[in-house]
Structures are given as structure tokens and as C-alpha cells.
Amino acid sequence: MFPEYRPRRLRKNETIRGLIRETSLELSNLIYPLFVVPGEKIKEPVSAMPGVERFSVDMLVEEVKEVMDLGLRSVLLFGIPEKKDRKGTQAWVKTGIVQRAIEALKKKCPDIYVITDVCLCEYTSHGHCGLIDEKKKDVSNDPSLELLQKTALSHARAGADMVAPSDMMDGRVAAIREALDDSGFEDIPIMSYAVKYASSFYGPFREAAESTPQFGDRRTYQMDPANKREALREATLDMEEGADILMVKPAMPYLDVIHLLRQEFTLPIAAYQVSGEYAMIKAAGANGWIDTDRVMMESLLSIKRAGADIIITYFAKDVAQKI
């Protein structure tokens, strides 16, 4: 005998499936990450990330106009400077690449919501996210905070709508919040990379951002992939320091962590579907092993279903074209 309830009744066609769908993906949930480089008329493909390009400021404006026409409204900017040094000086100068990009976007695309990555790894000659203690050959935490403050403040002055510190230095959210508030930018939110793992999924990004460490790795400041309880401690600290949004990075290998944060916090939760996640789906699709579009949508739905309110994804433009 069959039970009285037959679940297949509610799967019969797309109309009924849509009526009872528990999780939906909207363009308003997505942030489109973009790489900006010096020069003009540059639209340079990233070989490890098919479909992703690096843009000069003028071409970045054209790309943002295009994605706004598709319905996207939020971008996350990463800058690659003309020159790098040990301190990452180009991260906070008024004429820096990200600062120029913000000003151009706000002039040409005033309705786009501009979020900026606040870190030093793209700007330092050694590729690490802070100042180096030469004796220990490791990133020095507290001296790096002042540089992160200066970087966030320079982005706010250029017109950024939100800053997103990704360095994983202890205390950086409080330091940035203090700097912003003291300079009259108390309305600028902080989306903290609160739970950022020392992941192997970042490889393609390091090509795009030219940020591969020249020595060692980032395991002394990014989280151990084996740890979940530590994620709660990191997220709690960032919330107490003034973070407005808590991010988990990467996304799909850490769906359990996204879900854990969703259960524990009332703040919005963001997740970053990183370059390696994107590249694997693209590569498998190019080989005909998977249906790229369907896996793209399924992967993003899994992140949303786990509890993310916001998803940063290189698929944002593809999704906008699709839906």
C-alpha cells in the first residue's frame, strides 16, 4: 500500500515545482567581482578563468554598464597596480587603480553599488596581505592595521559604497571601523571576510590578481580548513568589532560553515564562490562532462540553501544573461 501522501504530486510540472520551491536565486543576491588594471582599452582574458577578464578603467565602465542592463547592481573591485613595493603603497594612494575605478564608475554609472576589497596582497612585492616581519619571515599583524585603515579610508573618500577587508589580520574590523567613523564615513558598511580559509581553491585568482606569495604561504593568518568551531570565534569577533556582513570564503567546500553561521548570527551572511570553484565548473563544462549552466545554477542554489543571503560569484553575469 502507498502512503496517503505522494511527494511526486508536487513535482509533476514546472508550474507546481515553482509554486513550492523553497530556495530561489535572485540577481539582487549576487555581487560581480571585477579586476581592474592600469592602461586604456584593455580587456584581457584570464587564462585560468574562462570568461573572466581584467579591465582598464575605461573598459571596466563599459562592462559595468552592460551588466547593469542585465539587472546586476553590485560589484566587488580588485586592483592590480602599476608597481608594487614591500608596503603595498599603491593600495591607499589617491591616484591608485581602485580609487580611479571607483571615481569613474560613480561618474558614469552612479547607480552601481561599489564594494572594494581591502587587502595588501595585490599591491605588495612579496604577495602577502600585510607588512613583513623580516626576522620571522611572517606577516606582522598590528603594524599592518594602520595600512588597512588607510586603504579603506582612501576607498571611502573615492566614493565606495562598502569596504570588504579580506586580509584576516586580528583586529582589522575594529581598526577600519574606527578610521571610517573618525573621518565621517560612519554610514559605510563593512563586509568582513570573517571566515576565510587557507584554501587551495584560490589558485586562478592569484593569476588574475598577480598576488601569489613570493615565499611561504598564508596559513599563519588564514584559517585551517579542518576547523569549524574556530569559524564561530572569528565571526563573533568581527561582529563585536563592528562588521555589518559576515562572509565565508570559499563557499561550496564550506557549506556546513555557512549553515553554522546562519544558525548562530542574525547579521547578513555572504559567501564567496571563489576562482577555483568557478574554474572547475567551466573546465568540466568545456570538456562536455557536465552541463555548465545547470551545474552553475545548482551550485549557487546550494550556497543560498545553506544560508547565504549574498553570493559573490564570477558567474553573476552568466546568471543575469540566463534569468
Side-chain angles (χ1 to χ4, degrees):
M1 293 180 61
F2 286 104
E4 291 185 10
Y5 180 68
R6 293 174 179 253
R8 288 186 60 186
R9 291 173 185 153
L10 301 182
R11 301 173 191 156
K12 189 172 183 179
N13 56 49
E14 179 55 30
T15 300
I16 187 62
R17 291 193 296 270
L19 283 173
I20 66 163
R21 190 161 288 138
E22 299 171 24
T23 305
S24 62
L25 185 68
E26 306 293 339
L27 294 185
S28 58
N29 304 140
L30 305 182
I31 296 172
Y32 186 31
L34 290 163
F35 300 97
V36 57
V37 297
E40 294 182 354
K41 303 296 181 184
I42 295 174
K43 191 175 180 181
E44 180 181 58
V46 178
S47 62
M49 301 172 69
V52 173
E53 294 161 315
R54 306 197 312 175
F55 300 93
S56 54
V57 172
D58 55 333
M59 300 304 290
L60 178 78
V61 169
E62 296 307 310
E63 176 73 359
V64 170
K65 286 179 179 178
E66 182 178 338
V67 298
M68 289 186 73
D69 287 342
L70 292 169
L72 292 171
R73 290 293 179 267
S74 303
V75 296
L76 173 61
L77 298 184
F78 295 91
I80 297 89
E82 295 181 47
K83 58 182 179 179
K84 303 188 180 192
D85 57 38
R86 300 289 289 178
K87 293 179 66 176
T89 307
Q90 291 296 308
W92 63 82
V93 295
K94 186 177 181 180
T95 57
I97 186 64
V98 165
Q99 290 80 355
R100 299 201 307 270
I102 297 166
E103 291 171 356
L105 288 176
K106 285 301 177 182
K107 182 177 180 180
K108 301 290 187 179
C109 310
D111 293 331
I112 193 69
Y113 194 85
V114 178
I115 307 164
T116 58
D117 179 77
V118 175
C119 195
L120 301 180
C121 62
E122 299 108 300
Y123 304 91
T124 54
S125 53
H126 46 74
H128 280 285
C129 301
L131 290 172
I132 298 298
D133 183 322
E134 297 296 345
K135 290 183 180 179
K136 297 179 179 179
K137 288 296 179 183
D138 194 13
V139 173
S140 185
N141 192 96
D142 294 7
S144 300
L145 299 182
E146 181 183 354
L147 305 188
L148 295 167
Q149 287 178 310
K150 292 167 68 173
T151 301
L153 196 53
S154 74
H155 293 176
R157 286 173 174 154
D161 297 293
M162 178 188 290
V163 295
S166 64
D167 55 284
M168 288 299 284
M169 296 298 110
D170 294 342
R172 90 274 200 213
V173 173
I176 291 171
R177 184 74 273 160
E178 180 182 16
L180 292 173
D181 290 355
D182 288 350
S183 298
F185 294 106
E186 62 275 359
D187 291 335
I188 299 291
I190 296 175
M191 177 168 63
S192 171
Y193 289 63
V195 183
K196 182 179 180 180
Y197 286 92
S199 172
S200 299
F201 283 86
Y202 303 147
F205 175 91
R206 289 172 183 170
E207 176 198 331
E210 298 177 358
S211 62
T212 302
Q214 297 303 300
F215 64 89
D217 54 42
R218 296 180 176 137
R219 286 183 290 180
T220 65
Y221 47 101
Q222 294 178 0
M223 281 181 54
D224 187 332
N227 293 352
K228 184 164 73 170
R229 294 190 300 271
E230 184 183 359
L232 286 179
R233 295 198 296 273
E234 284 280 6
T236 300
L237 286 169
D238 283 7
M239 180 187 70
E240 291 173 348
E241 290 178 21
D244 299 281
I245 299 170
L246 303 171
M247 187 199 301
V248 176
K249 180 183 180 183
M252 288 182 63
Y254 300 95
L255 295 177
D256 60 327
V257 178
I258 296 170
H259 182 68
L260 178 65
L261 263 63
R262 177 69 291 149
Q263 298 293 101
E264 295 290 332
F265 298 96
T266 57
L267 287 179
I269 304 298
Y272 199 144
Q273 187 183 47
V274 300
S275 58
E277 300 173 69
Y278 172 89
M280 289 193 303
I281 293 171
K282 282 287 190 176
N287 279 284
W289 299 333
I290 61 172
D291 182 318
T292 304
D293 284 352
R294 293 186 68 175
V295 172
M296 168 184 75
M297 296 301 294
E298 187 175 339
S299 68
L300 293 169
L301 279 171
S302 75
I303 298 166
K304 189 82 185 297
R305 191 182 65 246
D309 303 290
I310 298 164
I311 304 174
I312 303 161
T313 176
Y314 301 97
F315 282 121
K317 185 177 180 181
D318 293 338
V319 174
Q321 291 169 330
K322 184 175 178 61
I323 68 172

